[in-house]
Amino acid sequence: MAIRRNDGFSFLEMLIVLSTFMLIIFISIPFYKDTLTKIEEKNFFKQLEQDMLWMQSAEAVSNKTIKFVIFPDQYYYELIEGTDKLIKRRYYPSTIKVKLETFKIPFYFYPSGVPSQPGTLSITIGQQKYKVTFPFGKGRFYVTKQT
């Protein structure tokens, strides 16, 4: 009579466990991509808002012209002091598409806090479209979701 030892898992048991694990991973990938897109979207708008608020307050406090220049084809924007002093360069994911509508570059705030010119940007993230509007007068930009 042969004695059977239970020292480990059989090859078939390992294949079943690994197959189940891989199936769970493949099912969760679409949920991960959707979550990643939402995080990128949230971070992009949050960073843009913080940079615009910083520009507006720096302009009012220091009386130095800080310009916002965006490069939609290269997926980044810059904040430039005066004519050539780079303060910040922010890269954003290539999944975020920016289209300059009536928005004119370079954009800056006057020391009074008023934007140099009103304008709009269209931003597409995945299937979702947004319009970023910089209105006349004092105030901040606002984002509207397009349907």
Side-chain angles (χ1 to χ4, degrees), residues 23-84:
L23 182 64
I24 290 170
I25 288 175
F26 285 129
I27 290 172
S28 66
I29 286 175
F31 297 112
Y32 172 74
K33 285 184 179 181
D34 188 43
T35 302
L36 184 61
T37 302
K38 287 180 183 178
I39 289 170
E40 287 176 345
E41 170 187 324
K42 182 180 175 184
N43 287 341
F44 174 75
F45 285 121
K46 185 177 182 180
Q47 189 64 61
L48 182 64
E49 179 181 20
Q50 287 176 350
D51 286 340
M52 287 294 161
L53 290 174
W54 179 83
M55 269 179 62
Q56 196 173 24
S57 64
E59 186 77 40
V61 171
S62 68
N63 256 354
K64 295 179 182 175
T65 302
I66 309 224
K67 298 174 186 169
F68 172 82
V69 182
I70 189 164
F71 301 91
D73 297 337
Q74 297 161 342
Y75 308 106
Y76 72 91
Y77 64 86
E78 295 177 338
L79 301 179
I80 301 170
E81 182 181 324
T83 57
D84 62 352

Side-chain angles (χ1 to χ4, degrees), residues 127-146:
Q127 299 295 322
Q128 190 60 54
K129 294 184 181 192
Y130 299 90
K131 185 168 275 196
V132 179
T133 305
F134 292 85
F136 280 112
K138 285 188 181 181
R140 301 186 178 115
F141 71 94
Y142 58 92
V143 178
T144 54
K145 201 179 235 190
Q146 303 294 305

Side-chain angles (χ1 to χ4, degrees), residues 4-40:
R4 185 169 179 189
R5 295 178 11 186
N6 290 327
D7 289 334
F9 298 107
S10 70
F11 182 68
L12 183 60
E13 290 170 326
M14 289 295 287
L15 281 178
I16 291 171
V17 170
L18 288 174
S19 298
T20 305
F21 183 69
M22 293 302 290
L23 182 64
I24 290 170
I25 288 175
F26 285 129
I27 290 172
S28 66
I29 286 175
F31 297 112
Y32 172 74
K33 285 184 179 181
D34 188 43
T35 302
L36 184 61
T37 302
K38 287 180 183 178
I39 289 170
E40 287 176 345

Side-chain angles (χ1 to χ4, degrees), residues 113-124:
V114 176
S116 59
Q117 68 267 341
T120 59
L121 297 167
S122 291
I123 297 176
T124 305

